[in-house]
Amino acid sequence: MHVLLVEDDILLGKSLKLGFSEHGHECTWAQLGREALAASEAHNVHAVVLDLMLPDMSGLEVLGALRAREKSPPILILTALGSVEERVRGLNNGADDYLVKPFAFAELMARLQALLRRLAPPVSKPTEFKAGPLTLDIATRRARRDGVDIELTTTEYKLLEFLLRHSDQTVTRRMLCEHLWDANWEGVTNVIEVHINRLRAKIDRGFRQPLIQTVRGIGYALRTK
């Protein structure tokens, strides 16, 4: 995430810029409104953190200028002005969120990430997975290979889906166990061999090329080549 920080307070600006950097995000810091508008054109920023009290122009003017552009990133107002009327004015003028100083940096990060999730375009989910001659229909939970329908149990479906999501990659027995039953699985992993053998009987038996392959000492891989 690339954040445009508009803040004239030097100590707070340095602290926020360092905080964004330590969380793995790029930050462009502007202390003036005009600098912020120029920076927003020069950089592909994902979010703006905007103070309302700036030396050269008001934060609301910066907000209006950003919103007047064809495309503008999510904007979070970060200010000491915290009355209900001031918050309403900021939101009505186009801000996506409003956070009053003093604040916790963790909350600021959470609000920015929530804005990006909410305003991001929807991601279409696949209706089926396909690997070579094998397809898995998400809606019906049925597999099909070379025109032959294959009915699966719930466990077999989850197992095959995971293998297809990681097609041509090696997955460990522990990864499969944790996917099937519990993120903190502590049981024996040889139970996976039983389910893999049952799945193989449906997916590979009777076909010339086996798709589910054992990677000795590690786990399994679904390979089409």
Side-chain angles (χ1 to χ4, degrees):
M1 176 171 60
H2 188 163
V3 180
L4 172 58
L5 172 64
V6 191
E7 173 60 64
D8 66 313
D9 184 285
I10 295 177
L11 289 178
L12 180 57
K14 287 182 177 179
S15 176
L16 287 174
K17 185 176 175 65
L18 178 61
F20 288 127
S21 176
E22 288 178 343
H23 281 72
H25 304 297
E26 187 176 356
C27 178
T28 297
W29 175 24
Q31 298 180 47
L32 299 175
R34 291 183 179 86
E35 289 179 357
L37 294 176
S40 68
E41 290 187 338
H43 303 281
N44 180 27
V45 298
H46 301 109
V48 178
V49 176
L50 174 64
D51 185 18
L52 290 183
M53 295 182 289
L54 301 171
D56 60 334
M57 58 193 297
S58 75
L60 289 180
E61 289 177 309
V62 177
L63 176 61
L66 290 172
R67 284 292 182 241
R69 296 176 179 174
E70 184 178 354
K71 291 184 178 180
S72 63
I75 300 172
L76 182 148
I77 290 177
L78 182 66
T79 180
L81 302 176
S83 70
V84 173
E85 293 79 7
E86 288 161 338
R87 295 199 301 270
V88 169
R89 186 181 303 116
L91 294 170
N92 283 342
N93 276 273
D96 296 291
D97 202 355
Y98 198 109
L99 185 59
V100 178
K101 303 173 183 176
F103 63 95
F105 184 78
E107 181 181 2
L108 173 61
M109 283 301 309
R111 285 174 177 264
L112 287 176
Q113 290 166 349
L115 281 178
L116 292 175
R117 287 195 303 269
R118 188 172 77 239
L119 298 176
V123 178
S124 59
K125 295 183 179 180
T127 58
E128 68 175 21
F129 292 103
K130 183 175 178 62
L134 179 66
T135 59
L136 180 65
D137 189 291
I138 304 301
T140 63
R141 295 197 166 198
R142 283 193 175 186
R144 188 176 181 86
R145 179 171 180 179
D146 292 335
V148 178
D149 287 329
I150 304 168
E151 292 191 18
L152 302 170
T153 66
T154 299
T155 300
E156 290 164 353
Y157 167 81
K158 291 176 67 176
L159 186 58
L160 182 58
E161 180 193 14
F162 192 82
L163 290 170
L164 283 166
R165 284 182 184 273
H166 299 82
S167 181
D168 293 318
Q169 302 175 33
T170 299
V171 295
T172 67
R173 293 177 178 84
R174 176 166 291 277
M175 287 169 62
L176 291 171
C177 284
E178 292 177 349
H179 172 70
L180 289 175
W181 294 294
D182 192 330
N184 299 310
W185 172 263
E186 295 295 340
V188 294
T189 56
N190 60 3
V191 68
I192 281 295
E193 295 176 10
V194 175
H195 293 287
I196 285 287
N197 288 336
R198 290 174 180 170
L199 184 60
R200 274 177 168 151
K202 294 184 176 183
I203 299 300
D204 287 336
R205 185 173 297 169
F207 295 97
R208 183 174 180 180
Q209 178 191 6
L211 299 179
I212 301 174
Q213 300 180 16
T214 299
V215 181
R216 190 177 300 277
I218 302 177
Y220 304 93
L222 193 150
R223 296 196 176 111
T224 56
K225 296 180 181 179

